[in-house]
Amino acid sequence: MFKASDFGPDFLWGVATAAPQIEGASNTYGKGASIWDTFAKRTGKIKKGHQLDVACDFYHRYREDIALVKTLGFTVFRFSISWSRVLPLGKGPINEEGIRFYHNVIDECLSQGLIPYVTLYHWDLPEALSQLGGWTVFSINADFNEFVMLCAKTYGDKVKNWIIINEPFGFTSLGYMLGVHAPGETGLTNFLAAAQHTAIAQADGGHILRAEVPNARIGTTFSCSEIIPYTSGANDLLAAKRVDCLMNRLFIEPALGMGFPTADWDVLEKFAVSHSTWRHVKRMTFDFDFIGLQNYFPLVIRYNAFIPVVQAWEVKAKNRNKPHTAMGWEINADSFYNIIKQFASYSKVKEIIITENGAAFNDKLTNGHIHDEDRIAFFKLYLAALLKAKNEGINITGYMVWTLMDNFEWAEGYQARFGIVHNDFKTQQRSIKDSGYWWQQFLGAQPRLL
Ligand code: BGC
């Protein structure tokens, strides 16, 4: 078994979180509504009708939670800034109470000796901007830039590690094409327009931080999944290629100055012509210091003529008798290794940080303890694959666990539990799971302090 020190003395070990999933206080202390607040109230699309009003109550408990990150032995705490907490309408008047809250969180990290990694956009667009068209309209870019500028000027002297956007493919596809996430929009036109403005935003954000924050380390994150064709037949190979364009290439290639991967998929080419995407190639480019990769599953893809546009279909893990998590996501550490290699093969990717990786399981509380052996086994497998990639010379400098504690898992509500700390949503009692203790030992922190 490998040790944490095998990853090198400077390797960053962290936990990742996101504002809407943990903070609560969703309509108090001057915060404006985000699209997730309204989506949860309006649509009935969240399992069991769960809401974000309280979540993990991190807004009131951030001190204890940050202390927990320290106790578990991590050196990085990744969290996001809720745009509508600092700018309730998305632009214009500033909510000083919201500004103060993030000062407090950052100061708490620094006083505990933790490095804050701040995500600017983790899917919670201000509702007021959504009313104007959200990510589908070009004006969103000016509004996003106002928000980035505010954060850079306010926190830039204390925060040096920035992540512009969390998984652009995740929120544009689920929220603007499939309608299962906020704001619940559907269709290819909405999706491609949102994709374009998001690709511009990720680069614009980088340029603003570079100009405003001396010594900033600027990254952005991408979801990534190895795409495995179901057979080696031509139809399946082409279907897999289209899915790869969408899921892995759509946002990193513009950031690297390559534009959208139109050459490999004519649908994207049509969009490029009708929306003059080519004119924005330069504006979508930014020289990121690091690329954040977030991996949860590979996808096995089969051609299916009945699926509009992409003509591809996922063959689920359970139908292939493969081990999977409570989300049905295949556990396959080789695919983690393969997708890291795929992203590392872009010559302009200078540094990779795994900014999220983790798994939901049906944890069972036994006498106040969670013996989540399955989650521990998952981390061991995935870390071994990561070490293999690193030892082959890929510049991987950090790994962040998704996630610190069970939280609001988007459309799954509070049912899907990804935490290494259990949360009782009635009492807000945190209990370290065995996986949390495993991390504590792995990282060489004091065992079983809590
Ligand atoms: C997101 C997280 C989410 C996790 C598990 C990632 O796509 O960034 O917010 O909770 O996956 O679904």
Side-chain angles (χ1 to χ4, degrees), residues 228-428:
I228 305 165
Y230 185 63
T231 68
S232 54
N235 279 344
D236 285 353
L237 290 179
L238 285 171
K241 190 165 204 169
R242 289 191 291 276
V243 175
D244 190 44
C245 278
L246 264 182
M247 295 194 60
N248 294 319
R249 301 173 54 193
L250 192 63
F251 289 95
I252 188 165
E253 293 192 3
L256 298 179
M258 302 160 71
F260 288 122
T262 49
D264 280 328
W265 192 18
D266 56 346
V267 166
L268 297 174
E269 178 58 33
K270 278 186 205 136
F271 175 72
V273 173
S274 63
H275 288 72
S276 306
T277 304
W278 57 271
R279 273 194 276 151
H280 294 302
V281 167
K282 189 147 183 286
R283 191 167 167 193
M284 293 189 294
T285 307
F286 180 71
D287 185 20
F288 284 102
D289 298 312
F290 66 90
I291 292 301
L293 294 185
Q294 320 204 143
N295 176 257
Y296 288 94
F297 47 78
L299 285 178
V300 172
I301 292 296
R302 194 173 189 182
Y303 172 69
N304 185 330
F306 295 106
I307 307 295
V309 189
V310 68
Q311 298 197 306
W313 187 247
E314 180 200 351
V315 187
K316 297 220 183 280
K318 67 171 190 297
N319 298 333
R320 291 179 286 112
N321 293 322
K322 294 288 178 190
H324 52 82
T325 70
M327 304 285 280
W329 296 349
E330 182 176 342
I331 300 170
N332 180 339
D334 289 342
S335 77
F336 181 45
Y337 167 84
N338 290 340
I339 197 67
I340 293 171
K341 300 261 302 192
Q342 181 174 326
F343 274 72
S345 72
Y346 292 108
S347 60
K348 286 191 181 146
V349 169
K350 297 187 281 198
E351 177 182 335
I352 290 174
I353 298 179
I354 305 304
T355 38
E356 283 185 27
N357 176 236
F361 290 105
N362 295 319
D363 297 330
K364 293 204 177 37
L365 202 61
T366 321
N367 301 326
H369 289 285
I370 299 228
H371 302 297
D372 54 340
E373 291 304 318
D374 33 17
R375 192 174 282 104
I376 296 172
F378 176 95
F379 285 128
K380 284 183 182 165
L381 277 177
Y382 277 67
L383 289 176
L386 183 67
L387 187 57
K388 181 171 161 211
K390 187 171 164 53
N391 285 343
E392 284 172 15
I394 299 177
N395 188 25
I396 305 165
T397 58
Y399 176 93
M400 302 180 195
V401 172
W402 186 267
T403 180
L404 173 62
M405 58 194 158
D406 300 335
N407 61 30
F408 178 79
E409 176 51 32
W410 311 113
E412 301 295 315
Y414 295 99
Q415 271 189 313
R417 292 178 177 269
F418 278 85
I420 55 172
V421 173
H422 176 268
N423 191 38
D424 179 328
F425 292 100
K426 290 203 183 77
T427 61
Q428 296 296 343

Side-chain angles (χ1 to χ4, degrees), residues 65-379:
D65 288 336
I66 292 170
L68 195 50
V69 177
K70 181 76 184 170
T71 300
L72 292 175
F74 294 96
T75 46
V76 168
F77 181 52
R78 176 182 170 208
F79 61 93
S80 76
I81 294 181
S82 155
W83 186 344
S84 63
R85 191 179 293 290
V86 293
L87 289 168
L89 300 175
K91 54 182 164 184
I94 293 170
N95 174 29
E96 291 301 338
E97 225 172 326
I99 296 280
R100 207 159 44 244
F101 172 65
Y102 294 109
H103 269 304
N104 292 343
V105 171
I106 294 162
D107 292 346
E108 194 61 31
C109 288
L110 297 175
S111 75
Q112 296 270 357
L114 295 170
I115 307 167
Y117 268 65
V118 173
T119 312
L120 286 166
Y121 186 75
H122 203 125
W123 303 1
D124 49 349
L125 185 71
E127 173 62 28
L129 295 181
S130 196
Q131 296 293 326
L132 304 175
W135 286 103
T136 66
V137 290
F138 190 54
S139 57
I140 193 68
N141 287 113
D143 299 336
F144 182 70
N145 291 352
E146 180 179 331
F147 166 58
V148 177
M149 184 66 88
L150 173 68
C151 294
K153 283 189 184 303
T154 310
Y155 306 116
D157 57 339
K158 300 193 242 184
V159 174
K160 296 300 172 191
N161 295 281
W162 294 86
I163 290 169
I164 311 290
I165 287 183
N166 183 73
E167 293 193 3
F169 179 72
F171 77 87
T172 53
S173 62
L174 298 170
Y176 287 92
M177 183 159 63
L178 301 174
V180 293
H181 274 196
E185 303 294 338
T186 52
L188 190 66
T189 308
N190 279 328
F191 165 66
L192 290 174
Q196 172 150 33
H197 302 132
T198 303
I200 291 172
Q202 76 188 356
D204 277 5
H207 288 292
I208 292 171
L209 284 168
R210 185 72 83 224
E212 294 297 322
V213 181
N215 306 320
R217 273 171 40 81
I218 304 166
T220 198
T221 76
F222 302 107
S223 48
C224 59
S225 287
E226 188 192 6
I227 306 298
I228 305 165
Y230 185 63
T231 68
S232 54
N235 279 344
D236 285 353
L237 290 179
L238 285 171
K241 190 165 204 169
R242 289 191 291 276
V243 175
D244 190 44
C245 278
L246 264 182
M247 295 194 60
N248 294 319
R249 301 173 54 193
L250 192 63
F251 289 95
I252 188 165
E253 293 192 3
L256 298 179
M258 302 160 71
F260 288 122
T262 49
D264 280 328
W265 192 18
D266 56 346
V267 166
L268 297 174
E269 178 58 33
K270 278 186 205 136
F271 175 72
V273 173
S274 63
H275 288 72
S276 306
T277 304
W278 57 271
R279 273 194 276 151
H280 294 302
V281 167
K282 189 147 183 286
R283 191 167 167 193
M284 293 189 294
T285 307
F286 180 71
D287 185 20
F288 284 102
D289 298 312
F290 66 90
I291 292 301
L293 294 185
Q294 320 204 143
N295 176 257
Y296 288 94
F297 47 78
L299 285 178
V300 172
I301 292 296
R302 194 173 189 182
Y303 172 69
N304 185 330
F306 295 106
I307 307 295
V309 189
V310 68
Q311 298 197 306
W313 187 247
E314 180 200 351
V315 187
K316 297 220 183 280
K318 67 171 190 297
N319 298 333
R320 291 179 286 112
N321 293 322
K322 294 288 178 190
H324 52 82
T325 70
M327 304 285 280
W329 296 349
E330 182 176 342
I331 300 170
N332 180 339
D334 289 342
S335 77
F336 181 45
Y337 167 84
N338 290 340
I339 197 67
I340 293 171
K341 300 261 302 192
Q342 181 174 326
F343 274 72
S345 72
Y346 292 108
S347 60
K348 286 191 181 146
V349 169
K350 297 187 281 198
E351 177 182 335
I352 290 174
I353 298 179
I354 305 304
T355 38
E356 283 185 27
N357 176 236
F361 290 105
N362 295 319
D363 297 330
K364 293 204 177 37
L365 202 61
T366 321
N367 301 326
H369 289 285
I370 299 228
H371 302 297
D372 54 340
E373 291 304 318
D374 33 17
R375 192 174 282 104
I376 296 172
F378 176 95
F379 285 128

Side-chain angles (χ1 to χ4, degrees), residues 35-55:
I35 52 173
W36 273 95
D37 300 321
T38 48
F39 185 73
K41 294 215 162 31
R42 186 168 50 84
T43 63
K45 284 188 181 172
I46 314 280
K47 282 203 182 140
K48 301 207 162 177
H50 286 163
Q51 302 291 317
L52 296 79
D53 304 39
V54 181

